[in-house]
Amino acid sequence: MNSQAPFVLTADRIVAEHARMNVLANLLTFKAAVIEGMNIARSADGVTLSIRSGGRVSVGETKIQATVLRNLASIGSFRSKRDVIVLLAGGAIPKLELSRVELMIDGYLMTSYAEIPAMRLEVV
């Protein structure tokens, strides 16, 4: 697969603990999160790789680098619009809640652990 193709993370809902953002590094971090309706997909060279979960995914300390973080409105629906301002200012959000998430990850996603129940891996 072409190494330049981004991954796309979609989710029905994400609830993250202690979320922070570094605007200059395009980096979103959090201590832990629960992800509902998760799908991570990558399409390149006519092939799509997809990891899905029908359950509640739990992840540990996570770092996501993506240039789309410059435009937080494109990520999904924030439960609190105030959270966007706090993140842009470099502050921490004790409990960040997002719905209808679509995040293009053109950098990386690293997590200390992930529990992915009912995981399905598809290559088409």
Side-chain angles (χ1 to χ4, degrees):
M1 290 188 123
N2 179 346
S3 63
Q4 298 301 313
F7 285 86
V8 178
L9 168 66
T10 57
D12 296 331
R13 184 168 183 246
I14 297 176
V15 179
E17 297 175 18
H18 194 74
R20 295 187 76 102
M21 191 173 91
N22 180 324
V23 176
L24 296 176
N26 294 310
L27 189 64
L28 176 65
T29 61
F30 43 85
K31 296 291 182 193
V34 172
I35 305 170
E36 297 173 3
M38 183 195 82
N39 182 47
I40 299 174
R42 181 175 187 228
S43 296
D45 304 326
V47 176
T48 298
L49 171 69
S50 177
I51 299 171
R52 298 177 190 270
S53 175
R56 290 172 49 109
V57 173
S58 296
V59 295
E61 191 167 338
T62 301
K63 296 177 182 180
I64 301 172
Q65 185 189 44
T67 54
V68 74
L69 294 179
R70 292 179 195 266
N71 182 5
L72 287 178
S74 68
I75 294 172
S77 177
F78 284 79
R79 181 168 186 216
S80 168
K81 300 303 179 196
R82 178 183 170 277
D83 291 350
V84 176
I85 295 166
V86 172
L87 286 173
L88 286 171
I93 305 293
K95 184 177 180 181
L96 177 65
E97 295 185 49
L98 300 166
S99 59
R100 299 181 309 279
V101 176
E102 184 170 331
L103 176 59
M104 186 173 300
I105 302 169
D106 55 359
Y108 59 83
L109 183 151
M110 294 188 315
T111 189
S112 60
Y113 74 87
E115 295 175 16
I116 308 174
M119 184 179 96
R120 293 186 327 221
L121 174 63
E122 299 172 355
V123 179
V124 291

